[in-house]
Amino acid sequence: MEREKQNIKRIALLKFREKLMAEELEQYRIHLTGEYESILPYIRDGEGHYSPEKTEEVIEELVGYVRLYHEYEADCSLREQEEMYGREWTEAGNVFPGFSEEAETFFRNFFYCALRISEAEELCDVDGEDISGATQTFHDLLWFSGDHYERQAQLYAGEAVAEGLRNNYDGMKGIYRPASWLVHLFTGKNLSDLYPEDLQKKYIFQLPVEMRNGMERVGCKPSEYFDYFLDGISSSAEQRTEKAAEEIRERFSEQEKFVESYLSFRSQKYDPAYDSLYVGGSIDKIAMMETACRLEDDVKTAVLMFLEKRGLSHLEDDDTYFTAAALLRRAGKRVKETALRDERRMHG
């Protein structure tokens, strides 16, 4: 029994130190990438207000880097195919899809929504809480681009549960949490109601059993669940975000553009047609699906290029990069030497 207690303590210590070391290494990497540099100087004017013009310039540059990255990937793919199958294969039209207008729209919408959310400080801190999870740094673009939902069905479940809890979006992930809240704030619409009826019936099985059974019993929508089954319970999320909602309505410009951009991005990121594309799907649609799947990698590359151009990232600087790599290797060697001395001391 005593040994089990000791082993449990050891496990707790090992997991804690492993997590701590991972965080230290992450900080080391961040110092090189510059991703936690403030994004505000690039999307606000001299008076500290949101600037549509500056934001558009940032979007244009970031999309340009994504396009360039796609061209690089296409060139690499072309060379690989020629090596494997010969030039005749590529001359027959079997090449990596180019950067289509649809893909450009997809990235423009993402960058616009991500930058607007990151800039809005009312979303970052609401009485010690936050709605967006944003840090107002370039890291926000990386976090928001993450593949937080595998399929549209999972996104529907996240939206439906949030709306069933009287628009408490705390349980949602990534960009979908603040964007869903903003769309509801600006339009009064519930995103789960926007799905075609056949998809709502199909996706309802993604909901928690208790919620699904309750909805089927009384015949209500997800957004009506709170009123039927949780009436009288105070929603802390409502109280916490009421002040932010008032400020956002007053200060957040281009509200219609945000709603349109997010809904367009959302529909391209999670098109239900993707579920069956590899069986008779068009080349263009498959290319768009693959573009949506690689969002995180494309955004990361674009952000690194943007930061490097302004001297905020140091991955391209030889002195800084190789010094950092040498220090890391030296630290690793020192750890091995220390561990070896400890081992000898224990068994000596």
Side-chain angles (χ1 to χ4, degrees), residues 209-306:
V209 175
E210 183 180 356
M211 183 176 181
R212 185 173 73 239
N213 291 342
M215 287 169 52
E216 292 176 343
R217 190 161 60 249
V218 300
C220 71
K221 297 179 180 179
S223 56
E224 299 168 337
Y225 180 78
F226 191 103
D227 298 322
Y228 273 98
F229 296 97
L230 304 172
D231 192 25
I233 299 178
S234 175
S235 173
S236 60
E238 284 183 302
Q239 298 168 13
R240 193 178 71 224
T241 58
E242 186 175 345
K243 181 181 178 181
E246 293 175 3
E247 294 177 350
I248 284 289
R249 285 194 187 97
E250 293 177 4
R251 197 179 79 83
F252 202 101
S253 60
E254 304 176 330
Q255 295 180 10
E256 290 186 8
K257 180 178 179 181
F258 179 88
V259 171
E260 291 175 1
S261 297
Y262 174 67
L263 293 180
S264 175
F265 160 75
R266 172 176 164 272
S267 67
Q268 287 182 293
K269 175 64 176 168
Y270 294 104
D271 189 331
Y274 295 160
D275 292 341
S276 57
L277 266 188
Y278 285 114
V279 183
S282 68
I283 293 177
D284 291 341
K285 202 67 172 177
I286 292 175
M288 188 60 232
M289 178 187 68
E290 293 176 345
T291 295
C293 289
R294 55 179 282 170
L295 173 67
E296 185 174 10
D297 184 44
D298 288 343
V299 170
K300 182 178 181 179
T301 301
V303 168
L304 282 175
M305 289 289 290
F306 188 95

Side-chain angles (χ1 to χ4, degrees), residues 123 131 167 169 176-185 241 244-245 248:
L123 297 175
I131 297 171
N167 303 106
Y169 295 95
Y176 309 100
R177 177 185 175 190
S180 299
W181 184 82
L182 286 171
V183 169
H184 179 75
L185 178 68
T241 58
I248 284 289

